[in-house]
Amino acid sequence: MNGQITQPAPAAAAEAARAPRTQPAVLVALDGSAAAAAAMPAAQCLARWLEMPLHLLHVATNALATPAVQHLLRLDDDLNLDLATAPMVELDVRAGDPVTEILRAVAEPATYLTVLTTHGRAIEPGRHLGHIAEQVIARTMQPILLVRPEAAAAAAAAIEARRFLLPLDGKAATARALGRVTDIVQRLGGSFDVLFVADPAQLASAAPAAPGTEESGNLGIPRYVDQLQHEWPAWIHEVLAHLSACSARYPLGIPARVHVVGTAGMADGTVAAVVLQFVADHRDDVIVLVRRSRLEPGRAQILRTLLDQTPCPVLLTGASGRTESRVSEVAE
């Protein structure tokens, strides 16, 4: 394999810690399994489009020499890294708990975007979100692109097409979490389908709130969903102003199409069903979601359903800031 593969020697570890990476990079975690390796095509595509190095992270239970790690991860043969699209590739081998070490790597300032598969080991359709991926996404606010291994063949093509579906609930905290995501979409030259789902809960939230009970900057959906012609033009401008005011990054020239879809007529009447049908009808390539809980039991049902069923990669980020404790009480 050609390119730059580095693994700090034990004596150099302290020196490496004193000189952290400064160049933004795309991080992908590999455990040697076929399922984890399925994230590589999307990670390589992102590194190429973002013009960033590709940082390969492997967490071992014990120290391994670089050639042994290369063999374990099948870097030379099965993965067949295209160094023309990722001119600098770094292999980072760490020992310890995989969740802890992945979180440390994700939190490093040089990690611009992380790519993970939803589970490791074998590629088996129907498998749910794995323990390591769940623990990582539950404990970081940084953006992570999640790829289902059985749908990985289309993941790189999805990045190439760069049409992002952005379901919004109108909450200011949700829009505030989109800063890095909008930066990613802009760098990729992508566009947004902004989707508001008119379910009963959101229609109720569109009603005027009691003074002092509603967070400043929240956005309601049009009350007369079946007569959008009365409110649609002004409301589209309101949506873009909401995103711009809350995220401080939007629109930055990112093309956007705004949609409102009701849950009526869906098989199970859920928001997840609406999103899945919208993806099928509009051929969106990547779904953007904001995590507003820590994935406790009974929470994040929309996120879990989409990760289990969508053919698209999911670009996930976390809500943070002064309202984090409040919004974390709301299931996805």
Side-chain angles (χ1 to χ4, degrees), residues 54-97:
L54 188 60
H55 180 185
L56 313 182
L57 174 65
H58 175 67
V59 182
T61 55
N62 49 38
L64 293 174
T66 298
V69 176
Q70 288 184 228
H71 178 72
L72 172 67
L73 301 181
R74 299 172 292 187
L75 299 183
D76 292 311
D77 300 320
D78 293 358
L79 293 184
N80 190 27
L81 288 177
D82 184 356
L83 297 179
T85 62
M88 187 172 70
V89 179
E90 180 179 11
L91 175 60
D92 182 359
V93 181
R94 307 184 185 189
D97 172 63

Side-chain angles (χ1 to χ4, degrees), residues 240-279:
L240 299 182
H242 164 77
L243 289 171
S244 180
C246 293
S247 73
R249 297 278 188 99
Y250 196 87
L252 289 177
I254 301 174
R257 300 160 293 271
V258 182
H259 312 262
V260 174
V261 179
T263 56
M266 292 293 110
D268 58 5
T270 64
V271 174
V274 172
V275 173
L276 290 168
Q277 187 62 53
F278 190 93
V279 167

Side-chain angles (χ1 to χ4, degrees), residues 27 29 57-60 92 94-108 116 131-137 139-140:
L27 171 70
L57 174 65
H58 175 67
V59 182
D92 182 359
R94 307 184 185 189
D97 172 63
V99 173
T100 301
E101 296 304 323
I102 293 173
L103 283 169
R104 285 177 178 168
V106 170
E108 291 173 359
L116 295 176
H131 170 74
I132 291 177
E134 179 173 350
Q135 290 299 306
V136 170
I137 65 176
R139 293 160 58 184
T140 182

